[in-house]
């Protein structure tokens, strides 16, 4: 069975894929091991690479997963968007108990992706998303997790603050109009 994380209505998903509206799932607090779960999500195996730039659907601001945000990532059992880690750390969205049990059982270490084990999951993913003209997953493949490719949230925020120029934003104030006898 295909197991999805964070396919919120706000991203245009509907039916069985949709996880409901993101705003309704925002929580004030997180799991005690949220930082480790975020890192687990960040180092997942990329299934698709989407060239795009997206923003946070609630605030409209850029975030550390802005580039390629709807690319799909997996651990071999669960599938999520590349920007799901952002929504977890920013809004503490709830996670399925089965997902948390798996991640904690793996001690927050991304497992290798064995082609023979993942091929049936990939076939279900292709059907679920309605993809056509997709090559079958190579059952002989073997993928090791790659190091974290995106900065942590703290690193991203620090970089953005360094790049922001000091002083007032925007154009200089306009000069006042000269009164040309029109009474204003």
């Amino acid at each position: 069975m295909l197991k999805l994380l964070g396919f919120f209505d706000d991203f245009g998903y509907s039916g069985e894929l949709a996880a409901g509206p993101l705003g309704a799932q925002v929580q004030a607090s997180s799991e005690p091991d949220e930082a480790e779960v975020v890192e687990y999500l960040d180092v997942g195996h990329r299934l698709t690479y989407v060239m795009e730039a997206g923003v946070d659907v609630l605030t409209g601001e850029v975030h550390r997963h802005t580039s390629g945000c709807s690319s799909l990532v997996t651990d071999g059992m669960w599938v999520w968007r590349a920007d799901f880690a952002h929504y977890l750390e920013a809004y503490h969205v709830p996670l399925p108990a089965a997902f948390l049990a798996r991640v904690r059982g793996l001690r927050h270490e991304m497992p290798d992706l064995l082609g023979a084990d993942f091929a049936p999951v990939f076939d279900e993913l292709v059907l679920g998303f309605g993809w056509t003209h997709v090559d079958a997953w190579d059952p002989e493949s073997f993928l090791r997790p790659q190091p974290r490719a995106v900065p942590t949230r703290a690193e991203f925020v620090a970089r953005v603050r360094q790049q922001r120029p000091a002083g007032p934003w925007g154009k200089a104030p306009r000069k006042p109009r000269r009164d040309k006898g029109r009474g204003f």
Side-chain angles (χ1 to χ4, degrees):
M1 183 178 140
L2 188 59
K3 298 178 180 184
L4 302 174
L5 292 171
F7 286 83
F8 303 109
D9 297 357
D10 311 67
F11 303 130
Y13 298 103
S14 60
E16 293 179 20
L17 295 178
L22 173 61
Q25 299 185 43
V26 172
Q27 299 183 118
S29 62
S30 64
E31 294 290 331
D33 57 346
E34 182 179 85
E36 291 87 358
V37 174
V38 165
E39 185 169 353
Y40 180 89
L41 294 168
D42 280 345
V43 298
H45 304 282
R46 289 284 177 128
L47 295 175
T48 62
Y49 291 88
V50 179
M51 292 183 61
E52 68 180 340
V55 295
D56 184 305
V57 296
L58 296 182
T59 66
E61 295 185 9
V62 297
H63 54 80
R64 66 190 188 90
H65 288 284
T66 292
S67 178
C69 59
S70 64
S71 300
L72 298 182
V73 185
T74 187
D75 64 357
M77 183 179 290
W78 292 84
V79 177
W80 57 92
R81 289 171 44 113
D83 60 355
F84 181 63
H86 161 72
Y87 293 103
L88 177 60
E89 68 186 346
Y91 303 113
H92 316 296
V93 295
L95 295 167
F99 174 74
L100 284 173
R102 174 174 169 76
V103 172
R104 290 170 179 156
L106 293 167
R107 287 176 264 147
H108 304 96
E109 296 290 327
M110 181 60 59
D112 295 337
L113 190 62
L114 306 175
D117 295 339
F118 183 65
V121 176
F122 184 75
D123 291 343
E124 192 174 347
L125 183 69
V126 168
L127 287 173
F129 280 92
W131 295 339
T132 57
H133 310 313
V134 176
D135 294 332
W137 193 264
D138 179 7
E140 302 297 318
S141 65
F142 178 82
L143 300 174
R144 291 207 177 273
Q146 299 299 312
R148 182 183 249 175
V150 295
T152 64
R153 186 171 187 201
E155 292 167 342
F156 177 79
V157 169
R159 187 179 313 148
V160 168
R161 286 186 180 144
Q162 287 176 343
Q163 294 172 353
R164 214 175 260 167
W169 288 73
K171 297 179 182 178
R174 294 181 71 181
K175 293 179 184 177
R177 289 185 167 187
R178 293 189 327 179
D179 183 6
K180 293 187 177 182
R182 291 183 226 156
F184 56 94

